[in-house]
Amino acid sequence: MPLRLPDDLMVSVSGVRGRVGPSMTPELIAGVAAAFGSWLLDEGQDGPVIMGRDSRTSGPMLGRAVLAGFQSVGVDVIDVGIVPTPTVLLAVDHHGAAGGIAVTASHNPAEWNALKLISSEGMFLDGEASLAFREYLTTQDPERAPWDELGEVTSDPSAVDRHVGAILELPQLDVERLERRKLKVALDCVRGAGGVIMPRLLEDLGCEVVSIHTEPDGFFPRDPEPTAEHLAELGELVRESGADIGLAVDPDVDRLSLVDEKGTPLGEDLTLALAAAVVLRETPGPLVTNLSTSRVVEDVADAYESPLVRAPVGEINVARRMQVEDAVIGGEGNGGVILPNLHLTRDAPVAAALVLQYLCDAETTFSRAAADWPSYAIVKTKVSFPREQLEGAYTALVEDLDADTEDRTDGLRLAWAKERAWLHVRPSGTEPIVRLIAEAPEAERAEALVARADELLKGVV
Ligand code: MG
């Protein structure tokens, strides 16, 4: 019998996700892992797979289910333990693995967990592969191995060491200079997997570290999404300790958020911009980001005469486009930085190292260094809207708003070059809602754009 998925389990491009309890059970997760192992074999992949997880309390239970599922179809598994998601992807590369699973619900609250599925390329499954796997999962009964052909489980405790080592070797970093500057860094890992890598990486970069919530036990003391409004405690720590900068990561350590030396949370919009500045000033080249990322990355790309390419929202869409463009850096406005000479996935430890290099080289305070770049206001909202009327809505918006450019690769994005403003109208893939995101140098203009779009959408239905 193929696996029957409960209705409240979310199956998407990135994997399966649900609340621990009735929907995220070890039985179900073992079934998904068995199907994934069997599908990889069908796809002609051999070799072991990698399993790693963040610090959630459900991680050991679901992790063991993943191991058992793989073993049951005769696939060997290397368990890398509690590590950042980018560390799992790097381990897939290192071991030449057939694929992998990261057990993490990323920035979602503690009661959630999820499986993120990884291909032999050391990247998440793309849209096509994930559709193929979903079809397999819901229609096929994976062939189980007999008693003498079960997969073996081994552990690899060195994945974090290799990750830190690879970052220290990055040609974009001047570690000696960082060691001389001895930056004082305040760190908040929200009791996620960041505690196993961030303090150590920062110390290896010569920083003095003061930290909160580095115990990787999954008891998140606040909303674990590292947006500015959740970083008051880190701001306090920066002020109390006199730190040069504050850094916060999400539970699976692929997003980095910034706090200035005054303790003001700047959020995640600047992370990619500052990391990109460090890379592009040495090696100008294509920068790829998504359609909803702040325009400040465009300013950075312009400053270093580098082309900026925007891909549809979704990490794998950005990563795939980076391959096509031969990009030198890429990422998302949510603090996710992708440095292709390490790997094609969002990596907060890499982002932290690049941002610290930026601050070190600026030879001033972080708030002044950040003010080298224009600041913008982003306004986001969502409205309910029927999918079948979207085309009509796009036409109405294009006609009314008179933009300089329009992009329809992921909803509708309109931009006004001289005003340095844009509006992205993006339908949800799963619900009859549309997200409206606008950015402009002045909050009033961004708010007016969202309000006008909302009005136009209401006029269509
Ligand atoms: Mg994450």
Side-chain angles (χ1 to χ4, degrees):
M1 283 277 288
L3 207 57
R4 244 203 63 229
L5 299 174
D7 294 339
D8 53 354
L9 190 79
M10 297 183 209
V11 184
S12 69
V13 172
S14 52
V16 295
R17 185 164 70 98
R19 275 201 171 85
V20 176
S23 56
M24 248 351 226
T25 62
E27 305 88 290
L28 181 80
I29 290 314
V32 174
F36 188 53
S38 175
W39 179 73
L40 288 171
L41 290 171
D42 266 25
E43 294 284 296
Q45 297 293 336
D46 53 9
V49 295
I50 307 294
M51 195 282 290
R53 59 183 179 86
D54 71 15
S55 64
R56 281 161 209 272
T57 57
S58 58
M61 172 180 82
L62 298 176
R64 285 192 288 264
V66 167
L67 299 178
F70 279 133
Q71 288 184 281
S72 76
V73 292
V75 170
D76 295 339
V77 200
I78 300 171
D79 181 355
V80 293
I82 297 181
V83 296
T85 294
T87 310
V88 181
L89 287 124
L90 209 56
V92 169
D93 281 341
H94 173 80
H95 291 283
I101 289 183
V103 182
T104 172
S106 190
H107 57 273
N108 290 285
E111 65 267 32
W112 290 84
N113 214 333
L115 304 184
K116 285 188 175 177
L117 307 175
I118 302 161
S119 75
S120 62
E121 291 174 281
M123 296 167 75
F124 294 112
L125 297 196
D126 60 20
E128 203 182 320
S130 95
L131 266 181
F133 171 61
R134 189 175 172 166
E135 167 79 15
Y136 185 95
L137 177 68
T138 49
T139 59
Q140 304 295 309
D141 193 8
E143 196 183 325
R144 307 289 175 156
W147 70 276
D148 54 352
E149 287 173 27
L150 298 173
E152 283 182 16
V153 176
T154 50
S155 61
D156 168 12
S158 308
V160 168
D161 295 348
R162 290 192 304 268
H163 194 174
V164 171
I167 292 172
L168 296 174
E169 295 288 311
L170 287 174
Q172 289 90 352
L173 298 182
D174 184 342
V175 177
E176 276 175 28
R177 189 158 184 202
L178 276 161
E179 281 170 342
R180 280 200 302 276
R181 175 82 192 260
K182 243 190 173 328
L183 291 164
K184 187 166 187 177
V185 181
L187 172 70
D188 179 356
C189 295
V190 76
R191 295 182 173 236
V196 307
I197 193 168
M198 295 300 293
R200 187 170 142 200
L201 172 69
L202 299 177
E203 278 162 19
D204 285 355
L205 292 170
C207 301
E208 184 189 339
V209 185
V210 285
S211 56
I212 46 175
H213 310 313
T214 53
E215 318 76 340
D217 63 9
F219 289 96
F220 307 149
R222 56 164 170 81
D223 185 322
E225 188 165 25
T227 45
E229 66 270 24
H230 300 146
L231 302 183
E233 195 185 355
L234 178 60
E236 192 72 16
L237 178 66
V238 168
R239 278 190 296 274
E240 274 170 14
S241 64
D244 297 303
I245 187 172
L247 303 178
V249 292
D250 75 330
D252 74 326
V253 210
D254 54 6
R255 290 168 60 177
L256 178 78
S257 193
L258 308 173
V259 173
D260 75 15
E261 81 287 355
K262 297 171 190 159
T264 311
L266 306 180
E268 302 167 290
D269 291 329
L270 263 182
T271 306
L272 175 59
L274 301 184
V278 171
V279 173
L280 296 179
R281 70 190 181 196
E282 298 298 329
T283 47
L287 186 171
V288 177
T289 190
N290 69 33
L291 289 160
S292 285
T293 293
S294 172
R295 203 192 173 287
V296 68
V297 295
E298 232 163 293
D299 297 310
V300 170
D302 287 348
Y304 300 106
E305 294 176 358
S306 297
L308 178 118
V309 180
R310 288 189 186 264
V313 173
E315 175 180 356
I316 188 65
N317 297 323
V318 172
R320 282 276 182 244
R321 190 65 183 267
M322 287 177 70
Q323 290 179 304
V324 171
E325 304 288 339
D326 203 8
V328 294
I329 188 158
E332 301 176 330
N334 60 10
V337 171
I338 305 177
L339 188 67
N341 64 343
L342 184 61
H343 55 177
L344 278 162
T345 193
R346 297 181 307 186
D347 189 316
V350 165
L354 292 172
V355 168
L356 292 175
Q357 187 71 57
Y358 184 86
L359 173 57
C360 174
D361 297 346
E363 292 182 343
T364 179
T365 61
F366 186 50
S367 59
R368 282 199 207 111
D372 285 348
W373 304 103
S375 72
Y376 295 94
I378 288 197
V379 177
K380 301 176 185 182
T381 185
K382 55 185 176 186
V383 292
S384 48
F385 194 81
R387 291 189 70 81
E388 54 282 5
Q389 310 242 25
L390 281 170
E391 281 309 314
Y394 296 160
T395 308
L397 288 160
V398 168
E399 277 173 11
D400 185 85
L401 291 170
D402 193 27
D404 301 326
T405 55
E406 73 177 76
D407 183 323
R408 293 205 184 203
T409 51
D410 180 13
L412 173 70
R413 184 182 189 274
L414 300 173
W416 296 264
K418 217 172 122 206
E419 272 190 274
R420 298 188 294 147
W422 55 267
L423 167 75
H424 190 190
V425 182
R426 191 168 174 260
S428 155
T430 49
E431 305 161 86
I433 60 165
V434 163
R435 287 174 215 286
L436 302 175
I437 309 146
E439 187 184 52
E442 305 295 334
E444 297 75 42
R445 172 63 176 148
E447 278 157 15
L449 274 171
V450 164
R452 182 64 186 147
D454 188 22
E455 210 177 329
L456 288 164
L457 289 178
K458 290 200 173 94
V460 172
V461 284

